[in-house]
Amino acid sequence: MATITVVGIGADGWDGLSPAARLEVDEAEVVIGSSRQLALLPASRALRVAWPSPLLPAVEPLLAEHAGRRVCVLASGDPMLFGIGGTLVRLLGEAAVRVVPHPSSVSLACARLGWPVEDVEVVSLVGRPVESLLVLPNRRVLVLSAGAGTPERVAELLRTRGYGPTPMTVLEDLGGPGERRHDGTAATWQASVGALNVIALDCRAAPGVSPLGRTPGLPDDAFDHDGALTKREVRAVTLAALAPLPGQLLWDVGAGAGSVAIEWLRTHPACRAVAVEPRAERASRISANAAALGVPGLTVVHGRAPEALADLPHPDAVFVGGGVSADGVLAACWGALPAGGRLVANAVTLESEAVLTRWHAGVGGTLTRIEVSRAAPIGGFTGWKPMMPVTQWEVVRT
C-alpha cells in the first residue's frame, strides 16, 4: 500500500490535472511542494508545506514528521523524469510510492518542435554544472534548465567548444498561459527568459572544428598535460580492456592527466570514476580536463596509493597507469575488486614490467606488449618514430 502519492503538475496548474490527479490532491491531509506549485492549487483543508532549500536533506525529516497521514507530493511535470518521484522511490522503496504522472517538459517541448522524443538526448542542468553538457554534432539535445541564466551559460559553453552555429530554441513556461518561444543561435544568443524554461539544441560545429566523439582514443592534444599521459593508441587499447559498462565505477590510479578516467566517463552518462593522483598540480589539471571534456562529475583524489584508496567506494574496474611498482598498490587494487571485477595495469619500465610478470604468474590474466610508431620527419624524408613500448596486464577476478 502506497504511503506517499506523487502528483505531476504543469505550468497550467489545476486546470491541467486529470480527474485522478485532482482526487489525490483533494483527499490528501498534507500537500508538499514548492511555493510556486502550491500557489497553483485551489483552497482546500489540507496542510500545505513548502519544501525548504536545500531540498534533498529535508526530504526524510519532513516525511517522518507527517508519517501516518495521507501525504501528496507535487512534482513538476513527470515526477519520474529527473524529478522528486525518483528520489522518493530510492528512499522509501517502490511499494511506498504511487505516482500520478503529467506530461513532461520533454514531451511538451518535442510536441512544440516536431522532434521525435526517441531521437532526442535529455540533459538536466538542475543542480549540475553547465560543463555536464557533452556536445556532439548532428545531435538534438533538450536541456532542462536550472533558471533564467542557464540559456546564456549554455550558449557561452557552445561558443567556447566551437559550436556557435548551433540553433537554440528556449521554450518558456511550457503548457502555461504565459508560454513563449525564443529562437536564435549560440553565437548570437541574447534573449532574456523566465526561470521556467527548456533549451532545445540542434548541435552544429563551426567550420574547421574537429568534433570529439565518445569512442575512446581522443587526440592527445585534447588533454592539458605535462607528459604524464596515456597516449592515444595505448589509451584506446586500455579502454577496450577495461570494457566500461553503464553504472560501473572505475579507479584510475596514478591518473596523470586523467585521460583514462575521462574517456571511461564519456562512454556513457551513467559511468562513474575516481582519479587518484599524488601530485597536486596534476590533480588540478585532471579536474580542468574533465570539465573541458564534458564530464565534470569525475571525482579527483589528491593522494598517494595505496593509502589514498582506503576510503574509496569499491570499484568495478581498476586501471593502474602510474605507481605499478610502488609497494602495495597492486595488492590494494586487487583486494578491492569484487568477483568479476577487472584490473588493467600498464608498465613502461623494466621494474614495473617485472611486477606485472609476477602478478600474472600468481593470478593469471593476459599480458600484452603494445608497440606503436608514428610517422615523423627524418631530414627531408619521413620515417617511423617508435614510442616507448607498453606492457599491459589485464585480469578479471574470479
Side-chain angles (χ1 to χ4, degrees):
M1 179 95 179
T3 59
I4 303 290
T5 299
V6 185
V7 172
I9 188 169
D12 49 358
W14 183 256
D15 293 340
L17 293 182
S18 67
R22 290 186 180 187
L23 183 63
E24 293 293 344
V25 176
D26 279 336
E27 295 187 347
E29 298 174 86
V30 181
V31 179
I32 303 175
S34 70
S35 298
R36 179 188 64 80
Q37 292 164 341
L38 294 172
L40 297 173
L41 303 181
S44 71
R45 292 174 297 176
L47 173 66
R48 301 189 182 193
V49 179
W51 288 115
S53 181
L55 184 150
L56 288 179
V59 172
E60 288 187 278
L62 195 56
L63 295 180
E65 180 182 341
H66 300 289
R69 307 179 75 181
R70 187 161 183 165
V71 176
C72 175
V73 174
L74 300 179
S76 295
D78 185 347
M80 302 306 289
L81 182 69
F82 297 103
I84 190 66
T87 300
L88 293 177
V89 168
R90 285 191 294 272
L91 289 175
L92 306 176
E94 298 174 12
V97 181
R98 179 170 177 265
V99 177
V100 181
H102 186 277
S104 68
S105 57
V106 171
S107 296
L108 292 173
C110 287
R112 303 293 190 269
L113 297 163
W115 289 2
V117 177
E118 67 271 17
D119 293 338
V120 176
E121 182 178 352
V122 180
V123 177
S124 174
L125 294 183
V126 179
R128 297 176 175 87
V130 70
E131 290 84 3
S132 301
L133 181 58
L134 202 164
V135 187
L136 299 172
N138 306 316
R139 291 296 296 158
R140 287 174 168 174
V141 181
L142 285 179
V143 180
L144 306 184
S145 176
T150 303
E152 177 52 42
R153 289 194 292 272
V154 168
E156 183 180 359
L157 178 79
L158 292 169
R159 292 191 294 267
T160 300
R161 294 186 178 173
Y163 284 78
T166 296
M168 286 181 59
T169 297
V170 174
L171 300 166
E172 182 182 343
D173 289 333
L174 269 168
E179 180 176 322
R180 292 195 301 165
R181 173 172 175 158
H182 309 267
D183 293 287
T185 67
T188 60
W189 188 261
Q190 291 183 333
S192 176
V193 303
L196 290 178
N197 66 80
V198 175
I199 308 163
L201 307 174
D202 193 356
C203 301
R204 300 178 190 174
V209 171
S210 298
L212 301 176
R214 290 187 182 272
T215 304
L218 294 179
D220 292 344
D221 60 9
F223 302 90
D224 180 22
H225 64 92
D226 59 2
L229 176 76
T230 302
K231 301 302 188 290
R232 179 181 195 173
E233 298 83 356
V234 176
R235 193 181 335 120
V237 173
T238 299
L239 266 295
L242 287 167
L245 292 173
Q248 288 192 330
L249 172 66
L250 171 75
W251 285 0
D252 183 353
V253 181
S259 61
V260 171
I262 289 168
E263 295 233 39
W264 168 281
L265 291 174
R266 286 174 61 91
T267 62
H268 193 276
C271 285
R272 298 168 296 137
V274 177
V276 180
E277 171 54 47
R279 292 178 57 172
E281 67 276 15
R282 288 180 179 171
S284 297
R285 192 177 289 120
I286 292 169
S287 296
N289 281 333
L293 292 167
V295 288
L298 172 62
T299 299
V300 180
V301 174
H302 173 217
R304 187 173 300 278
E307 294 80 9
L309 309 177
D311 297 324
L312 299 182
H314 285 283
D316 300 288
V318 177
F319 170 61
V320 184
V324 167
S325 57
D327 288 343
V329 170
L330 283 183
C333 293
W334 182 251
L337 281 174
R342 188 178 296 268
L343 189 151
V344 176
N346 290 352
V348 294
T349 67
L350 292 176
E351 291 78 7
S352 55
E353 186 178 88
V355 173
L356 296 189
T357 302
R358 288 196 299 271
W359 272 88
H360 174 259
V363 300
T366 302
L367 280 175
T368 304
R369 173 63 70 91
I370 305 168
E371 299 187 63
V372 177
S373 295
R374 293 177 177 174
I378 300 178
F381 300 92
T382 303
W384 293 110
K385 183 177 181 179
M387 298 164 57
M388 291 186 68
V390 175
T391 299
Q392 184 173 94
W393 177 48
E394 173 191 349
V395 63
V396 175
R397 182 155 192 169
T398 58

